[in-house]
Amino acid sequence: MAEKILMKGNEAIAYGAIRCGADGYFGYPITPQSEVMETLMELRPWETTGMVVLQAESELSSINMVYGGAATGKRVMTSSSSPGVSLMCEGLSYLAACELPCLVVNCQRGGPGLGTIQPSQGDYFQACKGGGHGDYHLIVLAPASVQEMYDFVGLGFDLAFKYRIPSMILADGAIGQMMEKVVLSEQRPRLSDEEIAERYGSWATCGKGKRKERNIATSLFMDSAEMEEVNLRLQAKYRAIESAEARWEEIECEDADYVIVAYGSSARICSATVEMAREEGIKLGLLRPITLYPFPTEAIKSLAQRGVKGFLSAELNAGQMVEDVRLAVNGLAPVEHYGRMGGILFNPDEVLDVLKSKLIK
């Protein structure tokens, strides 16, 4: 019988890290995600699976520890909240340029600045458009439940290693702090250097071994032509990811005249809006992006081409994902935005009122 435990979303991240065979976690406490490291310390995985858990001196230290661990082919990760992830963006750009897999968890809080410890979705631009410098992307997963917080740790690592790219779980304070039952998977074994090389290629910097040349992880290319080749290789990888890895969920979209696009905690709220609208005879659907990068552009485009009369992007921000929704719809229907900021969650009633006032006039 599957093991079930009642836990917080942040605690689920810790359990997921251990169960998926992570080699190391390097982090620094910041509300509202501090329970990730606290739970790992309580579970003491170094005694059972050999996983390293270390509190770094800062977010800068933690992302560079991840950089070092990822370069050797290990499954390494960190977690933080919005201001902390901002400090990590330089390291994330280096990881992307070196094509190193890792997992970063961002449990978002209100901003800008130090802001508030309440939930927000104000880091969409940072996560999906490249918060650091240069032309790069992360794979970005958006959980809407505590179970998905757990499941997406393993998925994030799998995608990171498949494409040699950093992955991010973009959650928020509401998902991180809520409690739900979680079904735990079987313990995955930690992979040896040889198993990593067999599955994903021998790119890791594990010493020369039987190879003729040592592997080198670097993001510094002084020759412009060589730097362009690196960028072209990365862009080809991103196109492959966009083609193969977009994930989403559709609720009542088959006959919908109007569609809400929302992710994470916003999607949970808007699912109730759909029920309320249907009771009033309004054919409303919900499209929930599961991957924010790659964005489910084709799914939204298909709904627009089918004849959906209008889209509402519901986000806990001033309007960020709505830009990608508008690009996907490409003028085929009106696209509006509704959001709350400062850590305030909207409720299903007000989303329905906004839908009526902006799209069903």
Side-chain angles (χ1 to χ4, degrees):
M1 188 174 182
E3 185 179 0
K4 295 182 182 180
I5 300 180
L6 182 67
M7 66 178 75
K8 285 185 177 183
N10 289 333
E11 295 168 339
I13 293 289
Y15 276 86
I18 297 170
R19 292 293 180 106
C20 79
D23 294 292
Y25 170 93
F26 310 98
Y28 190 77
I30 179 173
T31 307
Q33 67 77 50
S34 297
E35 293 94 343
V36 177
M37 183 163 55
E38 290 170 359
T39 303
L40 285 168
M41 291 295 187
E42 289 175 1
L43 295 174
R44 303 173 69 86
W46 54 87
E47 296 179 349
T48 53
T49 69
M51 178 183 175
V52 173
V53 181
L54 180 64
Q55 178 176 326
E57 300 91 338
S58 67
E59 290 88 353
L60 290 172
S61 296
S62 63
I63 195 62
N64 281 289
M65 290 176 181
V66 168
Y67 188 176
T72 65
K74 301 300 183 185
R75 292 188 170 220
V76 289
M77 63 179 291
T78 186
S79 65
S80 190
S81 187
S82 307
V85 175
S86 293
L87 293 171
M88 294 180 180
C89 283
E90 180 185 41
L92 286 171
S93 179
Y94 290 170
L95 282 154
C98 293
E99 299 182 76
L100 298 178
C102 67
L103 179 65
V104 177
V105 180
N106 182 358
C107 194
Q108 301 167 88
R109 58 192 259 180
L114 290 175
T116 176
I117 63 173
Q118 304 305 321
S120 171
Q121 293 178 329
D123 300 354
Y124 181 93
F125 281 159
Q126 181 191 66
C128 300
K129 308 299 182 181
H133 57 286
D135 291 302
Y136 78 91
H137 281 290
L138 315 175
I139 290 175
V140 182
L141 300 166
S145 66
V146 178
Q147 182 68 57
E148 287 189 338
M149 289 282 268
Y150 174 84
D151 293 339
F152 286 1
V153 177
L155 176 60
F157 272 125
D158 289 346
L159 291 172
F161 272 81
K162 179 179 179 180
Y163 293 100
R164 285 180 54 195
I165 183 175
S167 288
M168 175 177 284
I169 296 176
L170 189 66
D172 61 64
I175 301 293
Q177 294 296 322
M178 71 169 58
M179 296 190 74
E180 293 179 326
K181 286 183 180 179
V182 175
V183 178
L184 301 181
S185 57
E186 294 294 324
Q187 175 70 51
R188 285 196 207 176
R190 292 172 60 209
L191 299 178
S192 66
D193 293 344
E194 292 74 22
E195 289 170 323
I196 289 287
E198 184 177 347
R199 291 189 188 188
Y200 304 109
S202 58
W203 50 266
T205 58
C206 300
K208 189 173 179 181
K210 297 179 181 179
R211 296 187 300 269
K212 293 182 178 179
E213 301 291 338
R214 290 183 174 88
N215 289 331
I216 298 174
T218 182
S219 63
L220 179 63
F221 302 93
M222 298 301 291
D223 181 83
S224 297
E226 189 178 7
M227 186 76 258
E228 185 177 47
E229 283 300 316
V230 172
N231 274 278
L232 290 172
R233 184 171 68 247
L234 291 176
Q235 293 304 312
K237 178 188 298 187
Y238 301 148
R239 300 296 86 79
I241 292 170
E242 289 166 3
S243 175
E245 302 299 346
R247 290 167 164 80
W248 68 93
E249 177 187 13
E250 294 184 22
I251 299 173
E252 301 283 2
C253 286
E254 295 85 356
D255 64 342
D257 290 329
Y258 304 92
V259 171
I260 298 174
V261 183
Y263 67 93
S265 57
S266 296
R268 292 178 69 107
I269 297 167
C270 291
S271 63
T273 302
V274 171
E275 293 180 8
M276 294 167 57
R278 291 275 171 172
E279 289 174 359
E280 294 185 20
I282 301 171
K283 293 181 179 179
L284 179 62
L286 170 65
L287 187 142
R288 175 176 77 96
I290 295 172
T291 52
L292 299 178
Y293 182 82
F295 192 69
T297 300
E298 291 302 317
I300 295 172
K301 178 181 177 182
S302 177
L303 290 171
Q305 291 174 334
R306 181 180 62 72
V308 169
K309 298 176 182 178
F311 294 81
L312 180 67
S313 182
E315 315 168 59
L316 300 177
N317 56 42
Q320 297 188 19
M321 181 180 68
V322 65
E323 294 189 3
D324 287 329
V325 178
R326 288 185 174 128
L327 287 170
V329 173
N330 196 25
L332 294 175
V335 178
E336 299 289 349
H337 170 266
Y338 181 63
R340 299 296 299 269
M341 293 170 282
I344 297 175
L345 298 171
F346 43 62
N347 61 53
D349 303 76
E350 66 184 277
V351 176
L352 183 55
D353 289 342
V354 169
L355 181 84
K356 291 177 180 177
S357 66
K358 290 190 173 184
L359 292 172
I360 317 176
K361 301 174 183 177

